[in-house]
Amino acid sequence: MTDEIEKDEERLLTAEYVLGLLTDQEAKAYEDVLAVDPELRLEYAFWAERIAALTDDIAPVDPPAKMLARIKSDLFGAEAAETTATKARSWLDRLGLLPAMTGGVVAALAVLWVINLYIPAAPTVTDPPVLSAPTLQAQIAAEDDSLIVLASYDATAQVLTVQRTAGQAPDGRVLELWLIADDNPPVSLGVLPDDETGQIGIDATLIPALPGGVLAISDEPPGGSTTGAPTGSVLAVGPMTEA
Amino acid sequence: MTTTADIEDMIARMAMGDRAAFDGLYNATSAKLFGVCLRVLGNRAEAEDALQEAFVKIWRNADRYRVNGLSPMTWLITVTRNHSVDRVRARKAKQAGSMDEAAEIADSNPGPEALAMASSDRVRIVDCMGQLDPDKAGAVRRAYLEGETYQELADHYDVPLNTVRTWLRRSLLKLRECLSHDG
């Protein structure tokens, strides 16, 4: 396949994805590549912006007056019942980091087509894809803002600078920072300093996992977790995003 | 007047749990998004449910918005349109299940008419769509605004599925070519 043909195929798959014409499996494979391929992401944005303009001639219609109150009662009534920690955990689950796929979208879908007969089914259109971009900063925040830590990674120094802008460790406890990448269990990056700002050196073996990773903060006994995994509540989470 | 930057800011604050920002976003965008739900679903009661669910998603996914590279209105429209299309498809699947022979009848219906062209001439896509055969442009709109699948398009235009896919893909490349000249 020449590059130009492959390029066209990528463009077509993107258009079909935006229009909702791919099957569920194809769309999933497309999203896996989209998550790790910045060029494909540009193509996706190109189509999504323009195709969404097809709604420009749709006239606004005021929804019923009680709608907002109904949505808020659904949303915040239910959320109030959840603790911050379970909320944060479910957020981690939802982020469900995608496996890094290489070889581009055409290759990924070609594999899919080889193993599946092309059987058109009404696919479920998914939300705009979750993209774990290669990135260098994160805002690690509790759902209710009771704890906010800003983290930025300096690739040259291999140091993560953390700045706590809201909240603190519960009395007699410490805050421990975790990196979660792909399907791997959380890896400790260390205990956060008592001071509002500080720096944490990043082990060279963990650096490849930073782009697209998720940082999380858990509540641990002094000195940090001794089990190698979070033992206390997950208080705050935040995906690494482009600086 | 709510600007793009305002909407972006409201989404960012929603990601941090700011409920007042949610009110602001709802007030600024719900009429447009309700229009989209109505257009896709063609039924007021269903559109109301879809809008409600779309805003729940928007609140819950506000933290994901920043990394997906879309402008804020495109993101909101995409979430709302996709959710509405999911509902349309779920409804069709249910109808297909409950009325065995209904597919035959439904397929013979002419379906909603060639949709009126967008009035807005500021958007390049309208020009580019206008350069496609009406059938092809109609198919793109049916897919996006009515959630039709290749199979449904094949039924509608009365051609084999592979044929519809081939001609639609050819048209999409043409559309891509035209759109890339919009500078």
Side-chain angles (χ1 to χ4, degrees):
Chain A
M1 225 190 277
T2 69
D3 283 356
E4 204 38 46
I5 291 173
E6 182 149 335
K7 196 90 212 148
D8 277 350
E9 186 63 21
E10 261 187 28
R11 291 170 176 159
L12 282 172
L13 288 168
T14 303
E16 290 177 299
Y17 174 77
V18 169
L19 291 172
L21 290 168
L22 298 180
T23 64
D24 279 351
Q25 276 182 314
E26 289 169 334
K28 179 71 178 67
Y30 179 88
E31 286 168 5
D32 285 351
V33 181
L34 190 62
V36 296
D37 184 342
E39 267 190 55
L40 190 62
R41 215 170 299 150
L42 289 177
E43 183 68 15
Y44 167 72
F46 178 92
W47 279 104
E49 293 292 341
R50 285 158 184 80
I51 294 293
L54 291 177
T55 64
D56 276 8
D57 60 336
I58 296 177
V61 180
D62 283 330
K66 285 180 183 157
M67 175 76 79
L68 178 59
R70 219 155 68 203
I71 295 169
K72 286 169 76 175
S73 121
D74 268 20
L75 206 48
F76 305 136
E79 282 198 358
E82 293 179 64
T83 67
T84 302
T86 58
K87 190 82 183 103
R89 286 214 177 91
S90 72
W91 187 7
L92 278 182
D93 289 344
R94 277 192 293 115
L95 281 169
L97 297 177
L98 299 164
M101 294 196 56
T102 53
V105 69
V106 176
L109 271 83
V111 169
L112 183 68
W113 290 326
V114 170
I115 58 174
N116 294 282
L117 289 175
Y118 181 71
I119 302 167
T124 308
V125 178
T126 54
D127 294 332
V130 185
L131 299 174
S132 32
T135 61
L136 298 172
Q137 68 182 21
Q139 176 166 290
I140 315 157
E143 194 70 14
D144 61 0
D145 286 5
S146 59
L147 177 65
I148 301 174
V149 174
L150 306 176
S152 59
Y153 175 66
D154 179 344
T156 316
Q158 299 189 359
V159 159
L160 192 70
T161 302
V162 289
Q163 184 185 4
R164 185 160 46 82
T165 60
Q168 56 190 353
D171 277 348
R173 305 281 289 176
V174 299
L175 299 175
E176 189 162 359
L177 184 64
W178 303 87
L179 171 66
I180 304 163
D182 297 321
D183 295 324
N184 301 318
V187 178
S188 177
L189 296 178
V191 171
L192 291 181
D194 290 338
D195 293 339
E196 277 172 13
T197 57
Q199 295 197 317
I200 296 176
I202 301 295
D203 192 278
T205 58
L206 295 177
I207 290 167
L210 287 175
V214 170
L215 297 181
I217 294 170
S218 69
D219 156 29
E220 299 294 339
S225 166
T226 53
T227 67
T231 59
S233 303
V234 174
L235 302 175
V237 291
M240 297 292 278
T241 56
E242 268 173 22
Chain B
M1 174 73 194
T2 313
T3 66
T4 295
D6 291 339
I7 294 176
E8 208 145 48
D9 182 58
M10 288 187 270
I11 296 172
R13 284 189 288 130
M14 282 164 53
M16 303 300 301
D18 183 339
R19 295 179 186 183
F22 183 70
D23 286 11
L25 186 87
Y26 180 89
N27 291 329
T29 62
S30 60
K32 175 68 192 182
L33 298 182
F34 190 44
V36 171
C37 292
L38 282 167
R39 175 69 184 75
V40 174
L41 286 154
N43 168 314
R44 193 167 171 105
E46 270 199 277
E48 287 179 16
D49 287 347
L51 183 71
Q52 184 166 347
E53 291 153 2
F55 268 104
V56 167
K57 282 193 170 177
I58 288 164
W59 168 262
R60 295 202 169 136
N61 296 342
D63 55 300
R64 300 180 187 180
Y65 160 68
R66 244 185 317 179
V67 284
N68 69 15
L70 303 181
S71 68
M73 270 320 288
T74 296
W75 181 66
L76 297 171
I77 288 168
T78 303
V79 171
T80 306
R81 175 268 176 191
N82 287 1
H83 188 72
S84 300
V85 165
D86 281 346
R87 285 191 75 104
V88 164
R89 290 181 178 171
R91 177 175 73 198
K92 284 176 185 164
K94 208 167 144 197
Q95 284 168 348
S98 60
M99 305 186 292
D100 264 357
E101 309 299 323
E104 200 71 32
I105 301 161
D107 289 350
S108 63
N109 285 340
E113 227 10 55
L115 309 153
M117 252 340 195
S119 56
S120 165
D121 56 2
R122 73 191 165 80
V123 179
R124 175 81 181 161
I125 184 141
V126 174
D127 296 339
C128 291
M129 289 279 281
Q131 291 176 28
L132 299 180
D133 289 349
D135 269 5
K136 317 294 195 288
V140 171
R141 286 173 169 277
R142 282 173 169 275
Y144 190 68
L145 296 174
E146 292 171 39
E148 291 204 349
T149 61
Y150 272 129
Q151 184 60 60
E152 288 166 324
L153 293 172
D155 291 343
H156 178 80
Y157 293 101
D158 199 20
V159 289
L161 187 135
N162 282 337
T163 307
V164 86
R165 189 166 198 236
T166 303
W167 68 239
L168 189 57
R169 290 183 123 229
R170 206 173 292 139
S171 304
L172 288 170
L173 272 189
K174 233 172 113 180
L175 188 60
R176 177 68 174 73
E177 170 78 8
C178 175
L179 288 170
S180 62
H181 296 312
D182 68 353

